[in-house]
Amino acid sequence: MTERVGDLAQLHATEVQPRAQNMQDVAGGPINGVVNTMPVAQEEKLSGHGSSVSSYEGDEPTEEERNTLRHVSDKLPWSAWLVAMIELCERFAYYGLSGPFQNYIQNEYNDPSGLPGAIGKGQTAATGLTNFFQFWCYVTPILGAIIADQYLGKYNTILYFAGIYLVGILILFLTSLPVAIEHGAAFGGLIVAMIVIGLGTGGIKSNVSPLIAEQYRGTKQTIKIQKNGERVILDPAVTIQRIYMIFYMCINIGSLSSIATTELEKNTGFWTAYLLCLCMFAVGIVVLVAGKKYYIVRPPKGSVIVNAFRAMWIGLRNNGNMDVAKPSYQEEYGRKYKTPWDDLYIDEIKRALVACRVFLFYPIYWVVYSQMLNNFISQAAVMQLHGIPNDIMQNIDPLTIIIFIPILDRIGYPALRKMGIKFKPITRITMGFIFAALAMAYAAIVQHLIYISPPCYESPLACPAANETEPNHVHVAVQTPAYLFIGLSEIFASITGLEYAFTKAPPSMKSFVMSMFLLTNAFGAALATALSPTAKDPKLLWMYTGLCIATIITAGIFWMLFKHLNYVEEEMNELDAKGEKAVRANEVGIGGGLVRRGHGHRHGEGVEEKV
């Protein structure tokens, strides 16, 4: 209060702009000759345009202001853009090399159909192997998360696993050379490369997603007055939402690499496609190393994951009551368990468990998503391509995301907030599931069109009239809406899942909770692998129909179970304001501990001496 009085006194002595105004005394009568000497802008700043209670710029908003003022995103630190660039390069490599996998595995080298190929294992085997690769890539993030949260920290873990990733791409490149394919090395090289690349991407994937959000250090809502005089609230939740939308857009810009790699596989061979991925990934490593001193990270906390499971075990032994694991509870009711943590940590664990329950519904969504990576490509192969590669159509998905993310970020979501509609996480995820169901419904329609079209009807490319080269008479462009629906579903379901995993995780367990979300993708891949025997003619129509029904039922159950979480979203997010703070990456040593500089002494777990 004294600071505000001092501010007003200074304004009165320097920048006063007198304005006559009728004023009243305490009895309600007019006071003649009194003028308001406060500058217009400052008066508006304090008055809040008629609000009964108002806050200074930079203050936390009042409850009334939270409900009436517009919530906007804060500015993003440029280190967040560096992390986005690293992810772009990694996803360029991942999608660039996996995009041609279906053809690489399914078709023979110099295939009679004219389609590019190398191994010749058929559609069922190709679908199974691509699903295995997806499964493996989303199981390994658990290992990367444990190493990061307990031992090395996010930055060091990303760096070490990037080296493993690079070796995997090199193996794939060498075994895709024509001489290697001709000597039968392609299949063995592919399996080894899949395992090594999956291990590498796991160490990166679980850590780069929380790392980009950690670059933003705001945890509390604050008042800001914009240039036009409008008072708004800088909301960390809206900022994190924007960060993950930009992050996901960079992922999809990188995924456009499959446009280049599918053209290269068709015209010059698979080895050139994989060489391009190798070079781009090397660029990402350079960006990662060059920007080290700018990244904000959280040092590893030793046995944090062990402690989390210990706390959950205490809760399970007490009928699910996690409060029993709080030190304050133990002090009040008699110490029965060792609790090497504080009460806040248990509240954070409870919040993380809420997120994990939400994630349980994601596997069915990922089954739908995986159709784009394999069966849609095979579907295109039996349609009229008119000179384009059969696996280029999948790029409609990232193009959809790249187009619609800025539209939603700059126009859609702000317009909803201005109208007072809070499009909260559970609602967005449900909407994503609905769009995924629409994608499967449309894919079933396309498959029906294929089956009623000549020359082979329900046996595309397999009847004498086709001579193994003439597809059914359906233009491949008919597939477009299916990819469009999947792209829209990702904006709502996948991006919000990343955001939910970060905002609901304890500060010391961001990577681990993120890996739990990514693990749902692995379960989805496992389910898709179980469905792979149905991925053949004439069963494909019923497979797509079944997935549509299953996804829409999942969306309904999900909404009924979790819609109440929308009402406590802000309350759950406020816990981060009480947690530990991050440090710069160059303050964390290669072993994960904090580095002592000069003669100063820094306390913390695993403190390292810099020599």
mmCIF file of all heavy atoms in Angstrom, residues 46 74 79 119 155 217 242 291 539:
data_model
loop_
_atom_site.group_PDB
_atom_site.id
_atom_site.type_symbol
_atom_site.label_atom_id
_atom_site.label_comp_id
_atom_site.label_asym_id
_atom_site.label_seq_id
_atom_site.Cartn_x
_atom_site.Cartn_y
_atom_site.Cartn_z
ATOM 1 N N LEU A 46 -5.609 1.845 -12.597
ATOM 2 C CA LEU A 46 -6.044 1.524 -11.252
ATOM 3 C C LEU A 46 -7.531 1.187 -11.187
ATOM 4 O O LEU A 46 -7.953 0.391 -10.380
ATOM 5 C CB LEU A 46 -5.757 2.707 -10.318
ATOM 6 C CG LEU A 46 -4.276 3.001 -10.059
ATOM 7 C CD1 LEU A 46 -4.152 4.258 -9.231
ATOM 8 C CD2 LEU A 46 -3.600 1.832 -9.375
ATOM 9 N N ASP A 74 1.711 -15.211 -22.775
ATOM 10 C CA ASP A 74 2.896 -14.394 -22.569
ATOM 11 C C ASP A 74 3.840 -14.582 -23.761
ATOM 12 O O ASP A 74 3.646 -15.470 -24.600
ATOM 13 C CB ASP A 74 3.582 -14.822 -21.270
ATOM 14 C CG ASP A 74 4.460 -13.725 -20.678
ATOM 15 O OD1 ASP A 74 4.714 -12.722 -21.363
ATOM 16 O OD2 ASP A 74 4.895 -13.896 -19.515
ATOM 17 N N SER A 79 14.894 -19.437 -26.304
ATOM 18 C CA SER A 79 15.431 -20.781 -26.103
ATOM 19 C C SER A 79 14.378 -21.836 -26.430
ATOM 20 O O SER A 79 14.721 -22.962 -26.822
ATOM 21 C CB SER A 79 15.928 -20.958 -24.660
ATOM 22 O OG SER A 79 14.886 -20.724 -23.731
ATOM 23 N N ILE A 119 12.295 -55.434 -49.827
ATOM 24 C CA ILE A 119 12.311 -56.692 -49.083
ATOM 25 C C ILE A 119 11.261 -57.683 -49.575
ATOM 26 O O ILE A 119 11.506 -58.886 -49.623
ATOM 27 C CB ILE A 119 12.127 -56.399 -47.576
ATOM 28 C CG1 ILE A 119 13.292 -55.533 -47.068
ATOM 29 C CG2 ILE A 119 12.057 -57.697 -46.776
ATOM 30 C CD1 ILE A 119 13.135 -55.048 -45.648
ATOM 31 N N TYR A 155 18.863 -32.434 -20.703
ATOM 32 C CA TYR A 155 19.781 -32.041 -21.774
ATOM 33 C C TYR A 155 20.798 -33.136 -22.064
ATOM 34 O O TYR A 155 20.996 -33.538 -23.222
ATOM 35 C CB TYR A 155 20.501 -30.735 -21.417
ATOM 36 C CG TYR A 155 21.521 -30.338 -22.461
ATOM 37 C CD1 TYR A 155 21.132 -29.650 -23.605
ATOM 38 C CD2 TYR A 155 22.861 -30.680 -22.320
ATOM 39 C CE1 TYR A 155 22.058 -29.311 -24.574
ATOM 40 C CE2 TYR A 155 23.791 -30.350 -23.289
ATOM 41 C CZ TYR A 155 23.389 -29.662 -24.403
ATOM 42 O OH TYR A 155 24.305 -29.347 -25.375
ATOM 43 N N ARG A 217 9.256 -19.682 -17.736
ATOM 44 C CA ARG A 217 9.413 -19.796 -16.285
ATOM 45 C C ARG A 217 8.267 -19.186 -15.491
ATOM 46 O O ARG A 217 8.280 -19.188 -14.261
ATOM 47 C CB ARG A 217 10.737 -19.159 -15.871
ATOM 48 C CG ARG A 217 11.918 -19.731 -16.648
ATOM 49 C CD ARG A 217 13.244 -19.126 -16.275
ATOM 50 N NE ARG A 217 13.764 -19.700 -15.038
ATOM 51 C CZ ARG A 217 15.008 -19.507 -14.604
ATOM 52 N NH1 ARG A 217 15.840 -18.764 -15.310
ATOM 53 N NH2 ARG A 217 15.423 -20.036 -13.484
ATOM 54 N N ARG A 242 0.040 -22.488 -26.042
ATOM 55 C CA ARG A 242 0.649 -21.955 -27.273
ATOM 56 C C ARG A 242 1.991 -22.622 -27.556
ATOM 57 O O ARG A 242 2.307 -22.943 -28.710
ATOM 58 C CB ARG A 242 0.830 -20.437 -27.160
ATOM 59 C CG ARG A 242 1.681 -19.847 -28.285
ATOM 60 C CD ARG A 242 1.601 -18.346 -28.346
ATOM 61 N NE ARG A 242 0.312 -17.928 -28.879
ATOM 62 C CZ ARG A 242 -0.040 -16.654 -29.037
ATOM 63 N NH1 ARG A 242 0.784 -15.689 -28.677
ATOM 64 N NH2 ARG A 242 -1.207 -16.342 -29.552
ATOM 65 N N GLY A 291 23.502 -24.473 -28.568
ATOM 66 C CA GLY A 291 22.636 -23.659 -27.715
ATOM 67 C C GLY A 291 22.637 -24.041 -26.259
ATOM 68 O O GLY A 291 21.785 -23.564 -25.494
ATOM 69 N N LYS A 539 -11.457 -57.616 -45.880
ATOM 70 C CA LYS A 539 -11.826 -57.318 -44.501
ATOM 71 C C LYS A 539 -11.622 -55.852 -44.110
ATOM 72 O O LYS A 539 -12.059 -55.427 -43.041
ATOM 73 C CB LYS A 539 -11.026 -58.198 -43.535
ATOM 74 C CG LYS A 539 -11.253 -59.694 -43.712
ATOM 75 C CD LYS A 539 -10.385 -60.479 -42.750
ATOM 76 C CE LYS A 539 -10.588 -61.984 -42.911
ATOM 77 N NZ LYS A 539 -9.699 -62.754 -42.005
#
